[in-house]
Amino acid sequence: MSDSNKKKEMWEKIQKNQIFRAIFRTGGSITTHKQRVLVTLNNVFLHLHPVRLPKHAVKVKYTWCMGGLSFFIFLVLTVTGILLMFYYRPTVEYAYGDIVDLSEQVPLGLMREIHRWSAHLMVITVWLHMFRVFMTGSYKPPREFNWAIGVILLVLTMLMSFTGYLLPWDQLAIWAITVGANMAKATPFIGSAGPGSSLLAIGDVNFVHSASDAGFAMLGGRFVGEGALLRFYVLHCIGLPFVIMLFMIVHFWRVRKDGGISGPT
Amino acid sequence: MEQIKDFINIISAPQISFTAIILLFFFIFPPNDLFYKIHRGLRIHKLWTKGGGITIFSFLTIFFIFGITDQNFRMIVTKPDNVPIVALLYLVVFFLWFSLKQAYDNDKRIDEGKGPNEAEDAKQKVLVWPDLVYIELIAMVSVAALLLVWAVALGAPLEEPANPTVSPNPSKAPWYFLGLQEMLVYFDPWIAGVLFPTVIMLGFISIPFLDNNRKGSGYFTFKERKMAISIFLFFWLVLWIFLITTGTFLRGPNWNFFGPFEYWDKHKLVALTNVNLSELFYMVWQNKQLPSNILLREMPGFLLVGAYLGLLPLILAKTLFKKVYERLGPIRYSVFIIFLLIAISLPIKMYLRWGFNIKYLVSIPEFFFNI
Ligand code: HEM
């Protein structure tokens, strides 16, 4: 009895503490309706959400949580990715060895595992999120535009995964990327092995050849080598995350502006 | 035991499994009233009940447990990078069932004049704190735990250091692109790797603008959106998940087909006797030489492709897709039908290959232009 009383007293004391009040604007124990509303409004992260929702919209059986989980996994990838960047150098000379060291030398070296499996998982959750949105007809007006943003997010997610695939610089990596690069070389007109590229020539001078085509732009060389590794690294760690964040911001904003989670009207 | 494995090896060849799936597909996911009636008559809708779900899952699980006892099967399925695809298969099947169960439940309620379950729930309002926040918390913690366990249990794969002079056989793209790589069997890279991805992306973006059925927005339903769901699932399940699964588990050295219980023999020989349409047209059917004029040589192919993309939409608008045309109007219909025909060209090309050994309909290697 006195024990729990003491705890209560402690808790009340903490809540009156200046530091606590400074951090948690709403206060500690949230009991009244007004406080519950304020928690959401006062917190920058929670305030991505509306304050009140129709009940179906919070049910797991409706949203499957897939959009939110995609975002969460993206955050996990960001954190583990930053940790990996401490150890990894994107050069042909060091890349593979750094990856080996990562598992052999670094204490608690699970970051690479978590990063890789999260990447796989994110592709899956994004697909399932799209599938849910389709099955509930949530792409219908007024959400057409957000669906389009979503498709771009899906493509970006796969590109993130694809660019990351090269970085360990093992056999699996370079040959998987070679398959992709061969496709880029076959782009119509701008790929050296694509239809129509030989038409872009004056006399004997070809404008599109293996050192000036789409494949070369992607790899920074004719083959998967030093140039490709650097390009993929920069895109993977800076370029694509930046773009995908932009699209996510628009995506979340539009979820709210289009009237929140869809529902029967 | 061995007989069962041999049998599964044989029926999983794309010629057979793909045909079976296409034939069954429209009875399981009926696109119109006619198929829907048969679907109900055959009681296939029972799949989307609790009992149906348990049955599907038991089958899937028994298959995997049975398979794991086989050395060849175990070797491909437990490869660390393939584990996500096994997970994907389960998740796709689960969520397919989960969404259709809710859809069919709602359909029943709508028939009874009650409105979907979601409408019932929506009458009540809840606060984000704590009702949503704690669900999110549980979801995040569970996924974090799952990832930790996964990371501890399975090391991330690392093969030999990169060696540009030794290419592994087969060399595979990451699994989520294997659908595209599988298309390479039937199309040149500029179609499989450039045209198709572009069309898939544009096609997906245009879905909300093509589907002008205003019903079924914001709740699960099947009956009110049969056609849309049937078409979507056809692409998503048959032309995407199925191709990925085939590409991952059933394609071995030299991209030859191997049954799930078959040993990946590097020396397996598959007779390749592919011909182009022009060769078939002039040399086989007419016993003539190939014309030297490229345009003349490829005329049959051009006519065929032209008719497929130019004439067929018109014919379909007057016949099979009459109702669709009326509902969509000329512009929506044109976009819809072109996307649809381009997508369907994949199965068509598959059957041309399997049935007639046709490699290209139009083949102008001079310009790297092959269809
Ligand atoms: C990186 C990938 C993505 C992230 C992080 C993401 C995140 C989210 C989140 C958090 C929501 C709120 C509802 C929910 O959780 O279901 C949402 C809704 C939505 N998403 Fe995504 N999404 C992604 C990709 C996609 C894709 C690929 C599509 C479709 C092609 C899509 C289309 C939509 C639509 C239309 C909504 C509104 C749904 C409704 O109101 O019911 N999103 N997204």
Side-chain angles (χ1 to χ4, degrees):
Chain A
M1 189 63 205
S2 65
D3 230 30
S4 73
N5 261 349
K6 249 189 205 156
K7 259 193 203 154
K8 219 172 154 192
E9 257 172 48
M10 262 294 255
W11 182 222
E12 273 165 12
K13 231 180 176 170
I14 293 176
Q15 287 179 51
K16 285 194 193 117
N17 180 287
Q18 190 188 355
I19 302 176
F20 189 94
R21 299 291 302 176
I23 300 174
F24 300 102
R25 294 186 58 195
T26 323
S29 38
I30 295 145
T31 43
T32 64
H33 183 87
K34 185 179 160 209
Q35 278 174 318
R36 288 190 176 137
V37 171
L38 281 177
V39 168
T40 308
L41 291 178
N42 279 343
N43 182 305
V44 64
F45 302 108
L46 289 183
H47 133 276
L48 271 176
H49 294 302
V51 171
R52 260 155 52 98
L53 281 168
K55 188 163 177 200
H56 78 277
V58 305
K59 285 204 165 173
V60 175
K61 71 175 187 185
Y62 185 71
T63 64
W64 308 351
C65 275
M66 280 303 162
L69 283 181
S70 304
F71 183 53
F72 173 66
I73 297 173
F74 176 76
L75 295 179
V76 171
L77 283 162
T78 311
V79 173
T80 51
I82 289 173
L83 291 173
L84 287 174
M85 284 173 79
F86 290 156
Y87 296 96
Y88 175 85
R89 288 163 291 178
T91 62
V92 170
E93 199 184 345
Y94 294 130
Y96 184 81
D98 286 348
I99 297 285
V100 174
D101 281 354
L102 214 48
S103 56
E104 292 183 355
Q105 314 290 344
V106 181
L108 288 178
L110 272 183
M111 287 309 134
R112 176 157 178 253
E113 273 72 21
I114 298 182
H115 195 75
R116 191 177 185 103
W117 302 139
S118 302
H120 285 315
L121 198 61
M122 183 170 167
V123 174
I124 296 177
T125 54
V126 173
W127 285 2
L128 289 175
H129 171 58
M130 178 183 81
F131 180 50
R132 187 290 285 184
V133 171
F134 183 85
M135 291 305 278
T136 55
S138 304
Y139 56 84
K140 299 187 178 199
R143 297 184 177 79
E144 307 101 307
F145 183 71
N146 217 14
W147 169 269
I149 296 285
V151 175
I152 292 170
L153 280 171
L154 174 86
V155 174
L156 287 170
T157 306
M158 290 180 20
L159 285 181
M160 292 274 310
S161 260
F162 182 67
T163 48
Y165 215 77
L166 181 65
L167 304 183
W169 204 250
D170 62 346
Q171 282 289 69
L172 202 63
I174 65 161
W175 290 101
I177 303 307
T178 305
V179 173
N182 286 342
M183 293 188 178
K185 285 185 185 139
T187 315
F189 297 109
I190 56 169
S192 56
S197 62
S198 53
L199 298 176
L200 299 178
I202 298 182
D204 276 348
V205 184
N206 260 327
F207 290 116
V208 180
H209 48 77
S210 63
S212 75
D213 68 341
F216 195 92
M218 175 174 155
L219 296 181
R222 282 197 181 85
F223 309 100
V224 180
E226 189 72 63
L229 183 54
L230 187 60
R231 268 173 207 216
F232 276 52
Y233 176 76
V234 173
L235 283 178
H236 184 75
C237 301
I238 311 243
L240 290 169
F242 180 72
V243 178
I244 205 171
M245 297 255 268
L246 275 182
F247 277 92
M248 278 188 195
I249 293 170
V250 179
H251 194 61
F252 298 160
W253 176 254
R254 281 303 287 248
V255 171
R256 291 290 303 277
K257 290 291 138 183
D258 293 339
I261 300 294
S262 58
T265 38
Chain B
M1 228 26 183
E2 287 310 310
Q3 273 106 331
I4 302 180
K5 286 184 190 170
D6 285 343
F7 178 70
I8 294 180
N9 278 342
I10 292 171
I11 60 164
S12 54
Q15 287 89 327
I16 298 175
S17 56
F18 193 72
T19 310
I21 288 181
I22 290 191
L23 289 181
L24 287 177
F25 185 87
F26 294 104
F27 296 100
I28 304 179
F29 308 104
N32 59 19
D33 290 333
L34 180 68
F35 277 97
Y36 190 71
K37 253 195 213 126
I38 306 175
H39 164 88
R40 289 236 157 220
L42 294 174
R43 315 199 122 257
I44 297 177
H45 63 280
K46 291 274 181 208
L47 281 177
W48 317 127
T49 58
K50 278 213 177 85
I54 294 172
T55 316
I56 301 175
F57 267 84
S58 313
F59 265 109
L60 202 60
T61 308
I62 290 173
F63 175 74
F64 272 104
I65 292 178
F66 168 75
I68 278 293
T69 61
D70 182 273
Q71 197 192 350
N72 296 311
F73 188 89
R74 197 165 52 227
M75 227 161 67
I76 9 177
V77 172
T78 53
K79 222 175 124 204
D81 261 347
N82 287 351
V83 169
I85 310 167
V86 179
L88 174 77
L89 276 181
Y90 266 94
L91 287 171
V92 165
V93 171
F94 173 75
F95 282 109
L96 186 69
W97 174 82
F98 193 45
S99 56
L100 284 171
K101 167 155 194 321
Q102 295 187 61
Y104 277 64
D105 286 351
N106 277 343
D107 288 349
K108 198 164 154 226
R109 287 179 59 102
I110 293 169
D111 280 346
E112 291 164 0
K114 284 197 280 197
N117 272 313
E118 285 87 348
E120 197 70 34
D121 284 338
K123 286 181 193 152
Q124 214 180 327
K125 299 275 186 287
V126 295
L127 288 176
V128 161
W129 181 285
D131 290 275
L132 180 55
V133 176
Y134 90 87
I135 292 177
E136 289 176 336
L137 189 72
I138 293 174
M140 287 193 295
V141 171
S142 329
V143 168
L146 169 85
L147 281 170
L148 265 177
V149 172
W150 192 353
V152 171
L154 268 187
L158 188 66
E159 300 196 345
E160 303 285 297
N163 183 348
T165 54
V166 182
S167 68
N169 187 6
S171 23
K172 292 192 178 183
W175 58 268
Y176 36 83
F177 285 138
L178 281 186
L180 299 177
Q181 201 177 355
E182 180 64 19
M183 291 176 198
L184 278 176
V185 178
Y186 308 99
F187 285 105
D188 266 14
W190 75 272
I191 297 187
V194 184
L195 184 73
F196 272 140
T198 315
V199 167
I200 293 171
M201 210 177 105
L202 292 179
F204 268 88
I205 288 181
S206 61
I207 287 177
F209 304 97
L210 297 179
D211 177 6
N212 61 356
N213 172 7
R214 287 289 169 269
K215 278 196 208 149
S217 166
Y219 54 94
F220 290 99
T221 168
F222 183 79
K223 215 173 162 188
E224 295 181 347
R225 308 170 52 210
K226 288 190 276 292
M227 181 138 181
I229 294 183
S230 183
I231 295 178
F232 182 86
L233 285 180
F234 186 80
F235 292 135
W236 154 256
L237 291 178
V238 181
L239 293 187
W240 197 240
I241 304 292
F242 176 78
L243 285 188
I244 286 178
T245 317
T246 311
T248 314
F249 295 136
L250 307 180
R251 289 290 182 184
N254 306 322
W255 210 254
N256 281 330
F257 170 82
F258 291 88
F261 305 111
E262 204 175 331
Y263 170 68
W264 280 18
D265 182 2
K266 278 204 168 57
H267 306 290
K268 177 175 180 174
L269 278 182
V270 179
L272 280 179
T273 47
N274 293 334
V275 291
N276 294 334
L277 181 66
S278 54
E279 291 160 351
L280 212 58
F281 185 78
Y282 289 104
M283 291 155 70
V284 179
W285 293 342
Q286 307 187 26
N287 256 323
K288 282 200 259 178
Q289 288 241 299
L290 274 184
S292 57
N293 183 317
I294 295 178
L295 282 183
L296 192 62
R297 187 186 75 202
E298 299 306 332
M299 194 49 77
F302 275 125
L303 285 179
L304 215 60
V305 175
Y308 180 69
L309 289 179
L311 216 57
L312 195 59
L314 300 178
I315 299 173
L316 285 174
K318 293 268 176 224
T319 54
L320 197 59
F321 284 162
K322 206 166 164 187
K323 276 205 198 124
V324 179
Y325 179 78
E326 277 161 17
R327 210 172 67 212
L328 296 186
I331 296 178
R332 280 205 181 90
Y333 174 79
S334 313
V335 177
F336 165 73
I337 201 74
I338 291 297
F339 280 142
L340 193 72
L341 287 178
I342 291 181
I344 292 181
S345 71
L346 176 68
I348 292 182
K349 198 77 193 288
M350 289 177 165
Y351 282 105
L352 285 177
R353 180 68 59 84
W354 298 334
F356 307 96
N357 286 323
I358 288 186
K359 189 161 171 62
Y360 295 124
L361 293 175
V362 176
S363 166
I364 313 181
E366 293 86 342
F367 293 100
F368 303 116
F369 185 82
N370 303 306
I371 297 177

